[in-house]
Amino acid sequence: PLSVRKVGVKLSGAATEKAGSVACLLTLHQGDAKKDEFKLNLNAVAGGATRKQTFRSGIDGSVQYYSWVPATPESDPKRSPGLILTLHGASVEGSGQAACFTPKPGLHVVAPTNRRPYGFDWEDWGRLDAKEVLDLATHRLKTDPKRTYLTGHSMGGHGTWHLGVTFPDRFAAIGPSAGWVSFWSYGGMRRQDRQAPERELIDRATAPSDTLPLVRNLSRTGVFILHGDADDNVPVGQARTMRQELAGFHPDFVYYEQPGAGHWWGNACVDWEPMISFFRRHELPVPANVRAIDFRTAHPGVSADCHWLRIEAQVNAFKLSRSTIQHDPTKRSFSGTTENVARLSFDVGHLATVKDPLTITLDGQQLPDVKWPQNGNRIWVSRVADRWEITAEPEARIKGPHRSGPFRDAFRNRMVLVYGTHGTPEESAWALAKARFDAEQFWYRGNGAVDVVSDKSFDPTTEVDRNVILYGHGEMNSAWKTVLGETGFQVNRGKLVFGDRAENGDGLAVVLAYPRVNSTKATVGVVAGTGLHGLRLTDRLPYFTSGVAFPDWTVLDPKGVVGAGYFANDWSLEKGESAWRK
């Protein structure tokens, strides 16, 4: 009630043979009765022209689009085309970004939307949108994965840095234009050297946004930096910072400042021919030919893979993890070092022609005669009591790249918002209003379409792998135990229990993420409070805003953060990290 949402409708019809405007009549029926009709003018384009391609997003089930500039033929007709993923700037969208490009021989140009012209700065759901479009377009256009490139302007230049350092095995070369580095360098975010332990745990959740600690992931990626030296929107100092960082280790980057140019100097600052030529000279190696990997990740739930190596779990959540591995296929060996890694795995499929034992050496500890995996081509190695051991494939119920928090990770996987109806009249009214507000906020921020249902209407037996967001405490939302099961925490009217710690009062707010019962991939998000005051306090949490982050769980009161923490890799509370305000 009292809300608006967009609904995707599939329209089918015969294709026209001519380009130009096509008049269509859309008639709406309810049962056998005609309710309304109106005309649509659709623009048909020629086969080689730029167009929009719609798709249904796995994030929330909404209809999204990307713009596509088809490749023109190149000299070798047997060669698979390459793909340039281009990210738009603030106040632009995918169609406007694509319109800046001329067609390229042998290179498709694809422009995702970041979900809105401002959207999410190509982070969080913007990053998911870009990656979803890349996967869809690569499959649809049958492009060569070795010839995938990334560029973008302004906010899209930041997105180029962000996606480039996060997914180093996806792009042969990147080209940020007028791009800013991070929220700290450009957006005014501040760091505190000394802070309370609970605040430090919250700040760690922002680690995926920090470009510089991940920049060495670009060591094997071609980089072309483009910036106007008179840019008054994104100062050229942002580009110069990255030039200085790359100069310390990178063997293959180009830096160019356009003299006298401001922030926008025509389509050339997006479709820059020297950059496109630079892209053409680069290809990703076949994973089987990669002999050394030096990979960093802020969190496996954001980025876990680099060629044949996967960092699957951390010792301390959202602290930088690193693994440096040398591989000798003739000796069938992997050897190297790790930092803040609790579990990693190796894809050994490129050695499948000979299934003899392998040798793995990590942090000076040798694991000889490692048997070939019985199922598949992946070998798992886990840290057990400060020693590395070969382990079986991990159960899906524990943390891994597929599901590992933090709180905002619950708002994906076609989430459904479930509001409680069993509270006081004021509590139940809040739950409906808050669920409606979050759904509409995700609409205007992320062009989304989210299902909102009451706990009475929610059926936990259907679509058990969808994420669920619960609004209200355990006594007022009847879906609580159904989707969460037995946990180490409870949030009820007047009392909160986290492990062996109990807090009383009606003014405590809680947001958290936890696995959905009986699902190997779905997550439950909780937006709760210990009473009306605590419930209303969650209204102040801007969890859809770029640059804002929350750990697995956070407890607040009107004075600020009461406690925060991360569940352990087995999702237990007692083995995880937590801190409470003194």
Side-chain angles (χ1 to χ4, degrees):
L2 303 178
S3 63
V4 178
R5 69 165 291 178
K6 69 170 192 172
V7 179
V9 178
K10 185 175 182 178
L11 303 179
S12 299
T16 178
E17 296 295 328
K18 297 180 180 180
S21 181
V22 180
C24 303
L25 182 67
L26 183 64
T27 305
L28 303 181
H29 297 267
Q30 185 173 18
D32 294 330
K34 185 172 73 173
K35 305 298 291 185
D36 198 3
E37 66 180 25
F38 56 94
K39 293 181 179 180
L40 285 175
N41 288 314
L42 303 179
N43 185 34
V45 300
T50 300
R51 82 285 307 273
K52 292 181 179 179
Q53 178 68 47
T54 59
F55 65 95
R56 188 175 293 278
S57 173
I59 298 173
D60 58 358
S62 63
V63 176
Q64 304 295 329
Y65 85 90
Y66 59 87
S67 277
W68 165 35
V69 185
T72 57
E74 61 178 338
S75 56
D76 183 358
K78 296 182 179 180
R79 189 183 191 195
S80 297
L83 186 150
I84 298 175
L85 190 73
T86 179
L87 311 181
H88 65 75
S91 81
V92 187
E93 61 176 276
S95 58
Q97 182 76 1
C100 296
F101 285 82
T102 60
K104 312 291 179 194
L107 289 174
H108 294 290
V109 179
V110 173
T113 66
N114 186 38
R115 286 302 192 99
R116 284 291 190 194
Y118 291 90
F120 304 105
D121 295 281
W122 295 108
E123 300 198 15
D124 300 307
W125 298 276
R127 178 183 65 241
L128 294 174
D129 176 70
K131 194 167 182 291
E132 187 172 36
V133 167
L134 177 59
D135 292 339
L136 288 170
T138 299
H139 176 75
R140 178 184 178 86
L141 304 177
K142 296 179 172 56
T143 59
D144 183 352
K146 301 191 301 298
R147 295 200 299 144
T148 302
Y149 311 102
L150 175 65
T151 186
H153 177 263
S154 190
M155 180 180 74
H158 165 67
T160 302
W161 285 124
H162 177 60
L163 270 72
V165 301
T166 304
F167 306 112
D169 64 344
R170 293 301 302 271
F171 306 104
I174 67 172
S177 173
W180 45 276
V181 179
S182 69
F183 291 120
W184 292 270
S185 69
Y186 178 70
M189 285 179 64
R190 297 181 179 180
R191 302 180 191 274
Q192 297 182 8
D193 294 332
R194 296 181 180 180
Q195 54 185 330
E198 67 274 12
R199 184 68 221 184
E200 188 269 337
L201 291 179
I202 289 179
D203 283 356
R204 265 165 50 183
T206 64
S209 294
D210 201 352
T211 306
L212 293 181
L214 301 172
V215 72
R216 285 184 177 261
N217 279 347
L218 296 174
S219 60
R220 295 178 181 270
T221 304
V223 181
F224 192 113
I225 306 173
L226 182 64
H227 217 107
D229 70 356
D231 193 331
D232 61 351
N233 191 306
V234 178
V236 70
Q238 297 290 301
R240 292 172 181 173
T241 294
M242 296 307 289
R243 176 182 62 181
Q244 182 177 353
E245 289 289 330
L246 294 174
F249 69 93
H250 204 292
D252 180 24
F253 77 94
V254 173
Y255 182 88
Y256 179 76
E257 289 182 13
Q258 179 75 350
H263 189 59
W264 178 260
W265 32 287
N267 290 354
C269 70
V270 175
D271 189 7
W272 182 245
E273 183 52 39
M275 182 188 294
I276 305 302
S277 298
F278 180 81
F279 287 171
R280 291 184 183 279
R281 297 194 297 270
H282 290 79
E283 289 191 4
L284 279 168
V286 176
N289 295 334
V290 175
R291 299 291 180 264
I293 292 177
D294 185 0
F295 176 55
R296 296 158 173 79
T297 181
H299 187 57
V302 175
S303 173
D305 291 282
C306 189
H307 300 298
W308 35 255
L309 175 69
R310 178 179 296 164
I311 295 177
E312 299 206 353
Q314 298 175 301
V315 177
N316 300 110
F318 286 95
K319 283 190 174 181
L320 190 71
S321 295
R322 178 184 181 186
S323 187
T324 304
I325 305 294
Q326 303 290 325
H327 173 41
D328 188 337
T330 59
K331 296 182 179 179
R332 306 176 64 76
S333 67
F334 297 88
S335 62
T337 60
T338 66
E339 299 172 21
N340 192 39
V341 177
R343 185 176 73 251
L344 50 77
S345 64
F346 300 92
D347 184 346
V348 295
H350 57 284
L351 303 175
T353 52
V354 181
K355 297 187 176 182
D356 294 335
L358 300 90
T359 298
I360 296 176
T361 304
L362 291 175
D363 302 319
Q365 179 190 343
Q366 188 177 79
L367 301 170
D369 299 325
V370 178
K371 295 182 179 179
W372 190 265
Q374 293 183 351
N375 299 311
N377 297 319
R378 189 166 291 276
I379 294 174
W380 281 269
V381 188
S382 302
R383 188 182 292 275
V384 180
D386 293 328
R387 298 280 295 173
W388 287 107
E389 295 183 4
I390 304 298
T391 52
E393 180 177 357
E395 296 180 13
R397 65 177 182 81
I398 67 176
K399 279 189 176 184
H402 65 297
R403 180 176 61 183
S404 55
F407 166 66
R408 295 208 305 185
D409 195 56
F411 288 89
R412 55 189 292 187
N413 192 28
R414 297 184 59 242
M415 64 278 192
V416 54
L417 314 188
V418 181
Y419 59 92
T421 61
H422 298 278
T424 65
E426 294 81 7
E427 289 176 335
S428 297
W430 166 86
L432 171 58
K434 176 61 172 167
R436 188 179 66 214
F437 177 76
D438 279 2
E440 293 193 350
Q441 188 173 198
F442 199 74
W443 179 20
Y444 78 74
R445 282 189 179 273
N447 194 26
V450 186
D451 294 337
V452 181
V453 301
S454 71
D455 54 354
K456 295 177 182 178
S457 301
F458 174 68
D459 183 357
T461 64
T462 62
E463 300 182 293
V464 296
D465 285 329
R466 287 182 69 178
N467 286 10
V468 177
I469 312 296
L470 299 176
Y471 293 88
H473 53 67
E475 293 177 50
M476 63 179 283
N477 195 315
S478 58
W480 184 286
K481 288 187 178 180
T482 305
V483 296
L484 284 173
E486 296 299 324
T487 65
F489 56 85
Q490 290 295 325
V491 186
N492 291 309
R493 186 180 293 111
K495 188 173 184 179
L496 174 147
V497 177
F498 263 70
D500 57 1
R501 186 181 184 98
E503 299 279 343
N504 298 313
D506 71 346
L508 296 170
V510 181
V511 290
L512 63 83
Y514 197 75
R516 181 174 175 177
V517 129
N518 299 325
S519 173
T520 59
K521 65 179 184 179
T523 298
V524 178
V526 170
V527 181
T530 54
L532 189 60
H533 291 141
L535 295 170
R536 288 176 173 170
L537 186 59
T538 65
D539 298 344
R540 310 295 294 176
L541 304 182
Y543 39 75
F544 294 128
T545 302
S546 300
V548 175
F550 295 89
D552 290 353
W553 60 269
T554 308
V555 179
L556 306 102
D557 66 10
K559 296 180 181 179
V561 179
V562 176
Y566 298 96
F567 296 107
N569 287 327
D570 63 358
W571 288 100
S572 67
L573 185 64
E574 64 276 7
K575 297 178 184 177
E577 292 183 86
S578 62
W580 296 86
R581 185 174 67 202
K582 293 183 179 180

